Amino acid sequence: TQTVSQSDAHVTVFEGDSVELRCNYSYGGSIYLSWYIQHHGRGLQFLLKYYSGNPVVQGVNGFEAEFSKSDSSFHLRKASVHWSDSAVYFCAARGATGGNNKLTFGQGTVLSVIP
Amino acid sequence: NAGVIQTPRHKVTGKGQEATLWCEPISGHSAVFWYRQTIVQGLEFLTYFRNQAPIDDSGMPKERFSAQMPNQSHSTLKIQSTQPQDSAVYLCASSLEGLGYEQYFGPGTRLTVL
């Protein structure tokens, strides 16, 4: 069974601070990982993905994430947050082989940025 | 590109009534997914179509939920005899088919069952 865990339900930082949102997964094979952002009342917007190659991937709006097989992690980072980054962030995973592309999501992390 | 379109955005039904939710995927995308989002359960997979064929419906409650994709431009999720516990935001997503493609989500339909 594939699981995704986001250990922090809520993270609060000041504008201009750096932030790291944590994601850990449990899966037996090759894995595809992604991060999505959800602003209040909106659908999910894709931020970035990893499935092979360079473990550090860049996304939109200055976000990046690093895949670690040894730690079973895919943490999301941003060097300097803006108040508009306040939203809920979801980590998602699926198998990278086998043809079934359904996503398993973590519980989400609410990021609050204080101006 | 208008993105994934979902209608209606909000739907209120009485207990026992039927609800039909519509999704128009991004043109050219061959994979369509339905998910459900609630505060308690989070984001849950419901069902998945590839080239209009059902691939995986393992997340669908068996008795009252059904999904169809009669053509490449739309999919429907039908809930019969709605119950208060069906209240949720129902999200549709589409993607190109293949290893590295991301899913693009619609704005969702908020279903409220009174």
Side-chain angles (χ1 to χ4, degrees), chain A residues 32 36 38 41 43-44 46 49 51 90 94 96 99-103 105, chain B residues 33 35 37 43 45 48 50 56 58 97-103 105-106:
Chain A
Y32 168 104
Y36 285 83
Q38 186 177 37
L44 299 171
F46 172 78
K49 66 186 177 188
Y51 63 96
F90 291 96
R94 64 170 170 85
N100 191 328
N101 295 333
K102 67 180 181 183
L103 291 172
F105 287 90
Chain B
F33 305 81
Y35 297 87
Q37 184 175 26
L43 280 155
F45 166 78
Y48 160 36
R50 181 192 300 149
D56 182 351
S58 59
E97 190 65 29
L99 180 59
Y101 294 109
E102 58 269 24
Q103 294 179 23
F105 283 78

PDB file of all heavy atoms in Angstrom, chain A residues 32 36 38 41 43-44 46 49 51 90 94 96 99-103 105, chain B residues 33 35 37 43 45 48 50 56 58 97-103 105-106:
ATOM      1  N   TYR A  32       6.646   8.293  -8.595  1.00  0.00           N
ATOM      2  CA  TYR A  32       6.461   9.615  -9.180  1.00  0.00           C
ATOM      3  C   TYR A  32       5.890  10.484  -8.064  1.00  0.00           C
ATOM      4  O   TYR A  32       4.896  10.115  -7.430  1.00  0.00           O
ATOM      5  CB  TYR A  32       5.493   9.507 -10.354  1.00  0.00           C
ATOM      6  CG  TYR A  32       4.964  10.815 -10.917  1.00  0.00           C
ATOM      7  CD1 TYR A  32       5.460  11.321 -12.114  1.00  0.00           C
ATOM      8  CD2 TYR A  32       3.940  11.507 -10.287  1.00  0.00           C
ATOM      9  CE1 TYR A  32       4.963  12.495 -12.646  1.00  0.00           C
ATOM     10  CE2 TYR A  32       3.446  12.678 -10.809  1.00  0.00           C
ATOM     11  CZ  TYR A  32       3.950  13.168 -12.000  1.00  0.00           C
ATOM     12  OH  TYR A  32       3.455  14.331 -12.519  1.00  0.00           O
ATOM     13  N   TYR A  36       1.316  20.056  -5.093  1.00  0.00           N
ATOM     14  CA  TYR A  36       0.254  20.919  -5.582  1.00  0.00           C
ATOM     15  C   TYR A  36      -0.030  21.982  -4.524  1.00  0.00           C
ATOM     16  O   TYR A  36       0.169  21.763  -3.329  1.00  0.00           O
ATOM     17  CB  TYR A  36      -1.034  20.120  -5.837  1.00  0.00           C
ATOM     18  CG  TYR A  36      -1.013  19.266  -7.069  1.00  0.00           C
ATOM     19  CD1 TYR A  36      -0.440  17.994  -7.055  1.00  0.00           C
ATOM     20  CD2 TYR A  36      -1.573  19.723  -8.262  1.00  0.00           C
ATOM     21  CE1 TYR A  36      -0.421  17.220  -8.189  1.00  0.00           C
ATOM     22  CE2 TYR A  36      -1.557  18.939  -9.404  1.00  0.00           C
ATOM     23  CZ  TYR A  36      -0.981  17.694  -9.370  1.00  0.00           C
ATOM     24  OH  TYR A  36      -0.959  16.914 -10.501  1.00  0.00           O
ATOM     25  N   GLN A  38      -3.140  24.684  -3.184  1.00  0.00           N
ATOM     26  CA  GLN A  38      -4.568  24.964  -3.257  1.00  0.00           C
ATOM     27  C   GLN A  38      -4.866  26.236  -2.467  1.00  0.00           C
ATOM     28  O   GLN A  38      -4.769  26.251  -1.235  1.00  0.00           O
ATOM     29  CB  GLN A  38      -5.396  23.802  -2.712  1.00  0.00           C
ATOM     30  CG  GLN A  38      -6.896  23.984  -2.887  1.00  0.00           C
ATOM     31  CD  GLN A  38      -7.694  22.784  -2.413  1.00  0.00           C
ATOM     32  OE1 GLN A  38      -7.363  22.139  -1.421  1.00  0.00           O
ATOM     33  NE2 GLN A  38      -8.767  22.448  -3.139  1.00  0.00           N
ATOM     34  N   GLY A  41     -10.785  27.909  -1.653  1.00  0.00           N
ATOM     35  CA  GLY A  41     -11.907  27.861  -2.576  1.00  0.00           C
ATOM     36  C   GLY A  41     -11.551  27.549  -4.012  1.00  0.00           C
ATOM     37  O   GLY A  41     -12.400  27.662  -4.900  1.00  0.00           O
ATOM     38  N   GLY A  43      -9.248  25.053  -7.043  1.00  0.00           N
ATOM     39  CA  GLY A  43      -8.759  23.713  -7.328  1.00  0.00           C
ATOM     40  C   GLY A  43      -7.263  23.618  -7.061  1.00  0.00           C
ATOM     41  O   GLY A  43      -6.629  24.580  -6.641  1.00  0.00           O
ATOM     42  N   LEU A  44      -6.711  22.454  -7.315  1.00  0.00           N
ATOM     43  CA  LEU A  44      -5.295  22.224  -7.098  1.00  0.00           C
ATOM     44  C   LEU A  44      -4.480  22.721  -8.288  1.00  0.00           C
ATOM     45  O   LEU A  44      -4.827  22.454  -9.439  1.00  0.00           O
ATOM     46  CB  LEU A  44      -5.030  20.728  -6.909  1.00  0.00           C
ATOM     47  CG  LEU A  44      -5.713  20.059  -5.725  1.00  0.00           C
ATOM     48  CD1 LEU A  44      -5.544  18.562  -5.794  1.00  0.00           C
ATOM     49  CD2 LEU A  44      -5.142  20.578  -4.430  1.00  0.00           C
ATOM     50  N   PHE A  46      -0.684  22.608 -10.036  1.00  0.00           N
ATOM     51  CA  PHE A  46       0.563  21.854 -10.060  1.00  0.00           C
ATOM     52  C   PHE A  46       1.755  22.768  -9.810  1.00  0.00           C
ATOM     53  O   PHE A  46       1.853  23.861 -10.379  1.00  0.00           O
ATOM     54  CB  PHE A  46       0.700  21.180 -11.426  1.00  0.00           C
ATOM     55  CG  PHE A  46       2.012  20.516 -11.671  1.00  0.00           C
ATOM     56  CD1 PHE A  46       2.292  19.290 -11.112  1.00  0.00           C
ATOM     57  CD2 PHE A  46       2.980  21.129 -12.450  1.00  0.00           C
ATOM     58  CE1 PHE A  46       3.514  18.678 -11.345  1.00  0.00           C
ATOM     59  CE2 PHE A  46       4.189  20.523 -12.695  1.00  0.00           C
ATOM     60  CZ  PHE A  46       4.457  19.295 -12.132  1.00  0.00           C
ATOM     61  N   LYS A  49       7.321  18.286 -10.069  1.00  0.00           N
ATOM     62  CA  LYS A  49       7.271  16.824 -10.042  1.00  0.00           C
ATOM     63  C   LYS A  49       8.679  16.247 -10.102  1.00  0.00           C
ATOM     64  O   LYS A  49       9.622  16.902 -10.552  1.00  0.00           O
ATOM     65  CB  LYS A  49       6.467  16.290 -11.233  1.00  0.00           C
ATOM     66  CG  LYS A  49       7.151  16.589 -12.572  1.00  0.00           C
ATOM     67  CD  LYS A  49       6.284  16.190 -13.748  1.00  0.00           C
ATOM     68  CE  LYS A  49       6.975  16.584 -15.056  1.00  0.00           C
ATOM     69  NZ  LYS A  49       6.092  16.398 -16.223  1.00  0.00           N
ATOM     70  N   TYR A  51      10.346  12.203 -11.135  1.00  0.00           N
ATOM     71  CA  TYR A  51      10.220  10.762 -11.340  1.00  0.00           C
ATOM     72  C   TYR A  51      11.524  10.116 -11.764  1.00  0.00           C
ATOM     73  O   TYR A  51      11.658   8.896 -11.727  1.00  0.00           O
ATOM     74  CB  TYR A  51       9.097  10.413 -12.328  1.00  0.00           C
ATOM     75  CG  TYR A  51       9.297  10.934 -13.731  1.00  0.00           C
ATOM     76  CD1 TYR A  51       9.839  10.140 -14.732  1.00  0.00           C
ATOM     77  CD2 TYR A  51       8.909  12.215 -14.060  1.00  0.00           C
ATOM     78  CE1 TYR A  51      10.003  10.626 -16.014  1.00  0.00           C
ATOM     79  CE2 TYR A  51       9.069  12.704 -15.337  1.00  0.00           C
ATOM     80  CZ  TYR A  51       9.616  11.903 -16.315  1.00  0.00           C
ATOM     81  OH  TYR A  51       9.778  12.388 -17.580  1.00  0.00           O
ATOM     82  N   PHE A  90      -0.157  20.266  -0.970  1.00  0.00           N
ATOM     83  CA  PHE A  90      -0.354  18.822  -0.949  1.00  0.00           C
ATOM     84  C   PHE A  90       0.789  18.133  -1.681  1.00  0.00           C
ATOM     85  O   PHE A  90       1.140  18.507  -2.799  1.00  0.00           O
ATOM     86  CB  PHE A  90      -1.662  18.429  -1.634  1.00  0.00           C
ATOM     87  CG  PHE A  90      -2.894  18.835  -0.884  1.00  0.00           C
ATOM     88  CD1 PHE A  90      -3.552  20.011  -1.193  1.00  0.00           C
ATOM     89  CD2 PHE A  90      -3.397  18.032   0.131  1.00  0.00           C
ATOM     90  CE1 PHE A  90      -4.695  20.392  -0.502  1.00  0.00           C
ATOM     91  CE2 PHE A  90      -4.537  18.408   0.827  1.00  0.00           C
ATOM     92  CZ  PHE A  90      -5.183  19.594   0.507  1.00  0.00           C
ATOM     93  N   ARG A  94       2.458   8.512  -6.962  1.00  0.00           N
ATOM     94  CA  ARG A  94       1.903   7.363  -7.673  1.00  0.00           C
ATOM     95  C   ARG A  94       3.061   6.500  -8.132  1.00  0.00           C
ATOM     96  O   ARG A  94       4.208   6.951  -8.170  1.00  0.00           O
ATOM     97  CB  ARG A  94       1.042   7.781  -8.857  1.00  0.00           C
ATOM     98  CG  ARG A  94       1.751   8.517  -9.966  1.00  0.00           C
ATOM     99  CD  ARG A  94       0.840   8.637 -11.159  1.00  0.00           C
ATOM    100  NE  ARG A  94       1.332   9.528 -12.197  1.00  0.00           N
ATOM    101  CZ  ARG A  94       2.178   9.181 -13.150  1.00  0.00           C
ATOM    102  NH1 ARG A  94       2.657   7.955 -13.192  1.00  0.00           N
ATOM    103  NH2 ARG A  94       2.555  10.045 -14.063  1.00  0.00           N
ATOM    104  N   ALA A  96       5.543   4.744 -10.631  1.00  0.00           N
ATOM    105  CA  ALA A  96       6.097   5.206 -11.901  1.00  0.00           C
ATOM    106  C   ALA A  96       6.075   4.117 -12.959  1.00  0.00           C
ATOM    107  O   ALA A  96       6.536   4.331 -14.069  1.00  0.00           O
ATOM    108  CB  ALA A  96       7.524   5.706 -11.700  1.00  0.00           C
ATOM    109  N   GLY A  99       1.219   1.602 -15.207  1.00  0.00           N
ATOM    110  CA  GLY A  99       0.146   2.175 -15.997  1.00  0.00           C
ATOM    111  C   GLY A  99      -1.021   2.764 -15.238  1.00  0.00           C
ATOM    112  O   GLY A  99      -1.911   3.337 -15.851  1.00  0.00           O
ATOM    113  N   ASN A 100      -1.064   2.638 -13.909  1.00  0.00           N
ATOM    114  CA  ASN A 100      -2.174   3.243 -13.171  1.00  0.00           C
ATOM    115  C   ASN A 100      -1.694   4.555 -12.600  1.00  0.00           C
ATOM    116  O   ASN A 100      -0.821   4.574 -11.734  1.00  0.00           O
ATOM    117  CB  ASN A 100      -2.659   2.308 -12.067  1.00  0.00           C
ATOM    118  CG  ASN A 100      -3.969   2.786 -11.460  1.00  0.00           C
ATOM    119  OD1 ASN A 100      -4.229   3.983 -11.390  1.00  0.00           O
ATOM    120  ND2 ASN A 100      -4.791   1.864 -11.016  1.00  0.00           N
ATOM    121  N   ASN A 101      -2.271   5.631 -13.074  1.00  0.00           N
ATOM    122  CA  ASN A 101      -1.753   6.943 -12.732  1.00  0.00           C
ATOM    123  C   ASN A 101      -2.513   7.657 -11.623  1.00  0.00           C
ATOM    124  O   ASN A 101      -2.361   8.869 -11.464  1.00  0.00           O
ATOM    125  CB  ASN A 101      -1.732   7.814 -13.984  1.00  0.00           C
ATOM    126  CG  ASN A 101      -0.755   7.275 -15.008  1.00  0.00           C
ATOM    127  OD1 ASN A 101       0.223   6.612 -14.657  1.00  0.00           O
ATOM    128  ND2 ASN A 101      -1.007   7.537 -16.269  1.00  0.00           N
ATOM    129  N   LYS A 102      -3.325   6.954 -10.856  1.00  0.00           N
ATOM    130  CA  LYS A 102      -4.058   7.624  -9.783  1.00  0.00           C
ATOM    131  C   LYS A 102      -3.091   8.109  -8.715  1.00  0.00           C
ATOM    132  O   LYS A 102      -2.093   7.468  -8.402  1.00  0.00           O
ATOM    133  CB  LYS A 102      -5.089   6.682  -9.165  1.00  0.00           C
ATOM    134  CG  LYS A 102      -4.487   5.501  -8.414  1.00  0.00           C
ATOM    135  CD  LYS A 102      -5.589   4.617  -7.844  1.00  0.00           C
ATOM    136  CE  LYS A 102      -4.999   3.445  -7.069  1.00  0.00           C
ATOM    137  NZ  LYS A 102      -6.061   2.536  -6.576  1.00  0.00           N
ATOM    138  N   LEU A 103      -3.385   9.277  -8.167  1.00  0.00           N
ATOM    139  CA  LEU A 103      -2.541   9.898  -7.164  1.00  0.00           C
ATOM    140  C   LEU A 103      -3.021   9.578  -5.750  1.00  0.00           C
ATOM    141  O   LEU A 103      -4.222   9.523  -5.494  1.00  0.00           O
ATOM    142  CB  LEU A 103      -2.545  11.417  -7.333  1.00  0.00           C
ATOM    143  CG  LEU A 103      -1.853  11.976  -8.584  1.00  0.00           C
ATOM    144  CD1 LEU A 103      -2.117  13.476  -8.700  1.00  0.00           C
ATOM    145  CD2 LEU A 103      -0.370  11.689  -8.565  1.00  0.00           C
ATOM    146  N   PHE A 105      -2.604  11.256  -2.029  1.00  0.00           N
ATOM    147  CA  PHE A 105      -2.241  12.546  -1.476  1.00  0.00           C
ATOM    148  C   PHE A 105      -1.915  12.451   0.013  1.00  0.00           C
ATOM    149  O   PHE A 105      -2.470  11.626   0.744  1.00  0.00           O
ATOM    150  CB  PHE A 105      -3.393  13.544  -1.639  1.00  0.00           C
ATOM    151  CG  PHE A 105      -3.582  14.022  -3.054  1.00  0.00           C
ATOM    152  CD1 PHE A 105      -4.413  13.344  -3.923  1.00  0.00           C
ATOM    153  CD2 PHE A 105      -2.924  15.161  -3.503  1.00  0.00           C
ATOM    154  CE1 PHE A 105      -4.595  13.780  -5.232  1.00  0.00           C
ATOM    155  CE2 PHE A 105      -3.106  15.608  -4.818  1.00  0.00           C
ATOM    156  CZ  PHE A 105      -3.939  14.914  -5.666  1.00  0.00           C
TER     157      PHE A 105
ATOM    158  N   PHE B  33      -9.567  11.799 -14.302  1.00  0.00           N
ATOM    159  CA  PHE B  33      -9.629  11.293 -12.934  1.00  0.00           C
ATOM    160  C   PHE B  33     -10.705  12.046 -12.151  1.00  0.00           C
ATOM    161  O   PHE B  33     -10.912  13.232 -12.363  1.00  0.00           O
ATOM    162  CB  PHE B  33      -8.290  11.518 -12.213  1.00  0.00           C
ATOM    163  CG  PHE B  33      -7.100  10.951 -12.927  1.00  0.00           C
ATOM    164  CD1 PHE B  33      -6.503  11.650 -13.974  1.00  0.00           C
ATOM    165  CD2 PHE B  33      -6.553   9.743 -12.550  1.00  0.00           C
ATOM    166  CE1 PHE B  33      -5.390  11.146 -14.636  1.00  0.00           C
ATOM    167  CE2 PHE B  33      -5.452   9.226 -13.205  1.00  0.00           C
ATOM    168  CZ  PHE B  33      -4.876   9.931 -14.251  1.00  0.00           C
ATOM    169  N   TYR B  35     -11.658  12.809  -8.035  1.00  0.00           N
ATOM    170  CA  TYR B  35     -11.250  12.735  -6.641  1.00  0.00           C
ATOM    171  C   TYR B  35     -12.325  13.418  -5.795  1.00  0.00           C
ATOM    172  O   TYR B  35     -13.102  14.228  -6.287  1.00  0.00           O
ATOM    173  CB  TYR B  35      -9.920  13.469  -6.411  1.00  0.00           C
ATOM    174  CG  TYR B  35      -8.729  12.891  -7.146  1.00  0.00           C
ATOM    175  CD1 TYR B  35      -8.437  13.287  -8.448  1.00  0.00           C
ATOM    176  CD2 TYR B  35      -7.895  11.967  -6.539  1.00  0.00           C
ATOM    177  CE1 TYR B  35      -7.330  12.765  -9.128  1.00  0.00           C
ATOM    178  CE2 TYR B  35      -6.789  11.445  -7.203  1.00  0.00           C
ATOM    179  CZ  TYR B  35      -6.519  11.851  -8.497  1.00  0.00           C
ATOM    180  OH  TYR B  35      -5.432  11.340  -9.161  1.00  0.00           O
ATOM    181  N   GLN B  37     -12.807  15.535  -1.999  1.00  0.00           N
ATOM    182  CA  GLN B  37     -12.068  16.215  -0.938  1.00  0.00           C
ATOM    183  C   GLN B  37     -13.001  16.582   0.200  1.00  0.00           C
ATOM    184  O   GLN B  37     -14.004  17.275   0.004  1.00  0.00           O
ATOM    185  CB  GLN B  37     -11.380  17.475  -1.475  1.00  0.00           C
ATOM    186  CG  GLN B  37     -10.508  18.177  -0.458  1.00  0.00           C
ATOM    187  CD  GLN B  37      -9.739  19.352  -1.029  1.00  0.00           C
ATOM    188  OE1 GLN B  37     -10.156  19.969  -2.009  1.00  0.00           O
ATOM    189  NE2 GLN B  37      -8.604  19.659  -0.430  1.00  0.00           N
ATOM    190  N   LEU B  43      -8.023  14.270   0.469  1.00  0.00           N
ATOM    191  CA  LEU B  43      -8.209  14.013  -0.961  1.00  0.00           C
ATOM    192  C   LEU B  43      -8.185  12.510  -1.215  1.00  0.00           C
ATOM    193  O   LEU B  43      -7.208  11.837  -0.929  1.00  0.00           O
ATOM    194  CB  LEU B  43      -7.091  14.681  -1.761  1.00  0.00           C
ATOM    195  CG  LEU B  43      -7.251  16.165  -2.015  1.00  0.00           C
ATOM    196  CD1 LEU B  43      -5.905  16.814  -2.251  1.00  0.00           C
ATOM    197  CD2 LEU B  43      -8.169  16.393  -3.216  1.00  0.00           C
ATOM    198  N   PHE B  45      -8.984   9.368  -4.082  1.00  0.00           N
ATOM    199  CA  PHE B  45      -9.207   8.950  -5.461  1.00  0.00           C
ATOM    200  C   PHE B  45     -10.543   8.219  -5.565  1.00  0.00           C
ATOM    201  O   PHE B  45     -10.896   7.420  -4.702  1.00  0.00           O
ATOM    202  CB  PHE B  45      -8.079   8.020  -5.885  1.00  0.00           C
ATOM    203  CG  PHE B  45      -8.338   7.262  -7.160  1.00  0.00           C
ATOM    204  CD1 PHE B  45      -8.189   7.878  -8.394  1.00  0.00           C
ATOM    205  CD2 PHE B  45      -8.752   5.940  -7.122  1.00  0.00           C
ATOM    206  CE1 PHE B  45      -8.429   7.180  -9.561  1.00  0.00           C
ATOM    207  CE2 PHE B  45      -8.999   5.236  -8.281  1.00  0.00           C
ATOM    208  CZ  PHE B  45      -8.834   5.855  -9.503  1.00  0.00           C
ATOM    209  N   TYR B  48     -10.968   6.496 -12.603  1.00  0.00           N
ATOM    210  CA  TYR B  48      -9.991   6.913 -13.615  1.00  0.00           C
ATOM    211  C   TYR B  48     -10.370   6.301 -14.953  1.00  0.00           C
ATOM    212  O   TYR B  48     -10.686   5.112 -15.035  1.00  0.00           O
ATOM    213  CB  TYR B  48      -8.623   6.442 -13.109  1.00  0.00           C
ATOM    214  CG  TYR B  48      -7.464   6.293 -14.053  1.00  0.00           C
ATOM    215  CD1 TYR B  48      -7.243   7.142 -15.123  1.00  0.00           C
ATOM    216  CD2 TYR B  48      -6.535   5.276 -13.815  1.00  0.00           C
ATOM    217  CE1 TYR B  48      -6.132   6.975 -15.939  1.00  0.00           C
ATOM    218  CE2 TYR B  48      -5.430   5.108 -14.623  1.00  0.00           C
ATOM    219  CZ  TYR B  48      -5.220   5.958 -15.671  1.00  0.00           C
ATOM    220  OH  TYR B  48      -4.120   5.807 -16.476  1.00  0.00           O
ATOM    221  N   ARG B  50      -9.102   6.047 -19.121  1.00  0.00           N
ATOM    222  CA  ARG B  50      -8.052   6.242 -20.118  1.00  0.00           C
ATOM    223  C   ARG B  50      -8.660   6.010 -21.479  1.00  0.00           C
ATOM    224  O   ARG B  50      -9.212   4.937 -21.736  1.00  0.00           O
ATOM    225  CB  ARG B  50      -6.885   5.279 -19.899  1.00  0.00           C
ATOM    226  CG  ARG B  50      -5.737   5.451 -20.908  1.00  0.00           C
ATOM    227  CD  ARG B  50      -4.767   4.295 -20.827  1.00  0.00           C
ATOM    228  NE  ARG B  50      -4.176   4.190 -19.509  1.00  0.00           N
ATOM    229  CZ  ARG B  50      -3.802   3.028 -18.952  1.00  0.00           C
ATOM    230  NH1 ARG B  50      -3.992   1.893 -19.597  1.00  0.00           N
ATOM    231  NH2 ARG B  50      -3.253   3.011 -17.762  1.00  0.00           N
ATOM    232  N   ASP B  56      -9.798   2.159 -13.432  1.00  0.00           N
ATOM    233  CA  ASP B  56      -9.737   1.861 -11.999  1.00  0.00           C
ATOM    234  C   ASP B  56     -10.867   2.612 -11.315  1.00  0.00           C
ATOM    235  O   ASP B  56     -10.901   3.832 -11.374  1.00  0.00           O
ATOM    236  CB  ASP B  56      -8.370   2.293 -11.446  1.00  0.00           C
ATOM    237  CG  ASP B  56      -8.182   1.974  -9.975  1.00  0.00           C
ATOM    238  OD1 ASP B  56      -9.152   1.564  -9.309  1.00  0.00           O
ATOM    239  OD2 ASP B  56      -7.055   2.153  -9.481  1.00  0.00           O
ATOM    240  N   SER B  58     -11.615   1.759  -8.018  1.00  0.00           N
ATOM    241  CA  SER B  58     -11.457   1.189  -6.675  1.00  0.00           C
ATOM    242  C   SER B  58     -11.857   2.139  -5.558  1.00  0.00           C
ATOM    243  O   SER B  58     -12.121   1.706  -4.442  1.00  0.00           O
ATOM    244  CB  SER B  58     -10.006   0.734  -6.467  1.00  0.00           C
ATOM    245  OG  SER B  58      -9.116   1.820  -6.629  1.00  0.00           O
ATOM    246  N   GLU B  97      -1.409  10.886 -21.296  1.00  0.00           N
ATOM    247  CA  GLU B  97      -1.101   9.557 -20.779  1.00  0.00           C
ATOM    248  C   GLU B  97       0.379   9.276 -20.965  1.00  0.00           C
ATOM    249  O   GLU B  97       0.921   9.463 -22.034  1.00  0.00           O
ATOM    250  CB  GLU B  97      -1.927   8.502 -21.522  1.00  0.00           C
ATOM    251  CG  GLU B  97      -1.848   7.123 -20.900  1.00  0.00           C
ATOM    252  CD  GLU B  97      -2.466   7.049 -19.512  1.00  0.00           C
ATOM    253  OE1 GLU B  97      -3.391   7.817 -19.236  1.00  0.00           O
ATOM    254  OE2 GLU B  97      -2.017   6.208 -18.725  1.00  0.00           O
ATOM    255  N   GLY B  98       1.031   8.848 -19.897  1.00  0.00           N
ATOM    256  CA  GLY B  98       2.450   8.554 -19.971  1.00  0.00           C
ATOM    257  C   GLY B  98       3.096   8.756 -18.633  1.00  0.00           C
ATOM    258  O   GLY B  98       2.507   9.321 -17.713  1.00  0.00           O
ATOM    259  N   LEU B  99       4.346   8.353 -18.538  1.00  0.00           N
ATOM    260  CA  LEU B  99       5.027   8.284 -17.246  1.00  0.00           C
ATOM    261  C   LEU B  99       5.160   9.644 -16.565  1.00  0.00           C
ATOM    262  O   LEU B  99       4.894   9.783 -15.379  1.00  0.00           O
ATOM    263  CB  LEU B  99       6.410   7.672 -17.444  1.00  0.00           C
ATOM    264  CG  LEU B  99       7.261   7.532 -16.181  1.00  0.00           C
ATOM    265  CD1 LEU B  99       6.550   6.662 -15.165  1.00  0.00           C
ATOM    266  CD2 LEU B  99       8.608   6.942 -16.533  1.00  0.00           C
ATOM    267  N   GLY B 100       5.556  10.664 -17.280  1.00  0.00           N
ATOM    268  CA  GLY B 100       5.950  11.883 -16.605  1.00  0.00           C
ATOM    269  C   GLY B 100       4.935  13.007 -16.582  1.00  0.00           C
ATOM    270  O   GLY B 100       5.250  14.107 -16.138  1.00  0.00           O
ATOM    271  N   TYR B 101       3.717  12.750 -17.024  1.00  0.00           N
ATOM    272  CA  TYR B 101       2.775  13.852 -17.171  1.00  0.00           C
ATOM    273  C   TYR B 101       1.993  14.136 -15.898  1.00  0.00           C
ATOM    274  O   TYR B 101       1.485  13.240 -15.244  1.00  0.00           O
ATOM    275  CB  TYR B 101       1.803  13.561 -18.323  1.00  0.00           C
ATOM    276  CG  TYR B 101       2.490  13.519 -19.665  1.00  0.00           C
ATOM    277  CD1 TYR B 101       2.665  12.311 -20.346  1.00  0.00           C
ATOM    278  CD2 TYR B 101       2.982  14.688 -20.242  1.00  0.00           C
ATOM    279  CE1 TYR B 101       3.309  12.274 -21.563  1.00  0.00           C
ATOM    280  CE2 TYR B 101       3.629  14.653 -21.472  1.00  0.00           C
ATOM    281  CZ  TYR B 101       3.779  13.446 -22.120  1.00  0.00           C
ATOM    282  OH  TYR B 101       4.420  13.409 -23.327  1.00  0.00           O
ATOM    283  N   GLU B 102       1.854  15.436 -15.615  1.00  0.00           N
ATOM    284  CA  GLU B 102       1.129  15.834 -14.424  1.00  0.00           C
ATOM    285  C   GLU B 102      -0.359  15.928 -14.697  1.00  0.00           C
ATOM    286  O   GLU B 102      -0.791  16.067 -15.836  1.00  0.00           O
ATOM    287  CB  GLU B 102       1.655  17.183 -13.897  1.00  0.00           C
ATOM    288  CG  GLU B 102       1.572  18.317 -14.886  1.00  0.00           C
ATOM    289  CD  GLU B 102       2.840  18.438 -15.729  1.00  0.00           C
ATOM    290  OE1 GLU B 102       3.581  17.438 -15.882  1.00  0.00           O
ATOM    291  OE2 GLU B 102       3.086  19.548 -16.254  1.00  0.00           O
ATOM    292  N   GLN B 103      -1.130  15.858 -13.599  1.00  0.00           N
ATOM    293  CA  GLN B 103      -2.568  16.007 -13.706  1.00  0.00           C
ATOM    294  C   GLN B 103      -2.943  17.459 -13.470  1.00  0.00           C
ATOM    295  O   GLN B 103      -2.405  18.121 -12.577  1.00  0.00           O
ATOM    296  CB  GLN B 103      -3.260  15.116 -12.668  1.00  0.00           C
ATOM    297  CG  GLN B 103      -3.044  13.632 -12.932  1.00  0.00           C
ATOM    298  CD  GLN B 103      -3.689  12.738 -11.910  1.00  0.00           C
ATOM    299  OE1 GLN B 103      -4.645  13.118 -11.230  1.00  0.00           O
ATOM    300  NE2 GLN B 103      -3.181  11.516 -11.795  1.00  0.00           N
ATOM    301  N   PHE B 105      -6.054  19.977 -12.539  1.00  0.00           N
ATOM    302  CA  PHE B 105      -7.320  19.889 -11.825  1.00  0.00           C
ATOM    303  C   PHE B 105      -8.279  21.009 -12.206  1.00  0.00           C
ATOM    304  O   PHE B 105      -7.871  22.151 -12.459  1.00  0.00           O
ATOM    305  CB  PHE B 105      -7.078  19.940 -10.316  1.00  0.00           C
ATOM    306  CG  PHE B 105      -6.562  18.649  -9.744  1.00  0.00           C
ATOM    307  CD1 PHE B 105      -5.234  18.292  -9.898  1.00  0.00           C
ATOM    308  CD2 PHE B 105      -7.406  17.784  -9.080  1.00  0.00           C
ATOM    309  CE1 PHE B 105      -4.747  17.093  -9.397  1.00  0.00           C
ATOM    310  CE2 PHE B 105      -6.933  16.578  -8.567  1.00  0.00           C
ATOM    311  CZ  PHE B 105      -5.603  16.244  -8.735  1.00  0.00           C
ATOM    312  N   GLY B 106      -9.558  20.668 -12.191  1.00  0.00           N
ATOM    313  CA  GLY B 106     -10.593  21.674 -12.314  1.00  0.00           C
ATOM    314  C   GLY B 106     -10.847  22.344 -10.973  1.00  0.00           C
ATOM    315  O   GLY B 106     -10.267  21.964  -9.954  1.00  0.00           O
TER     316      GLY B 106
END
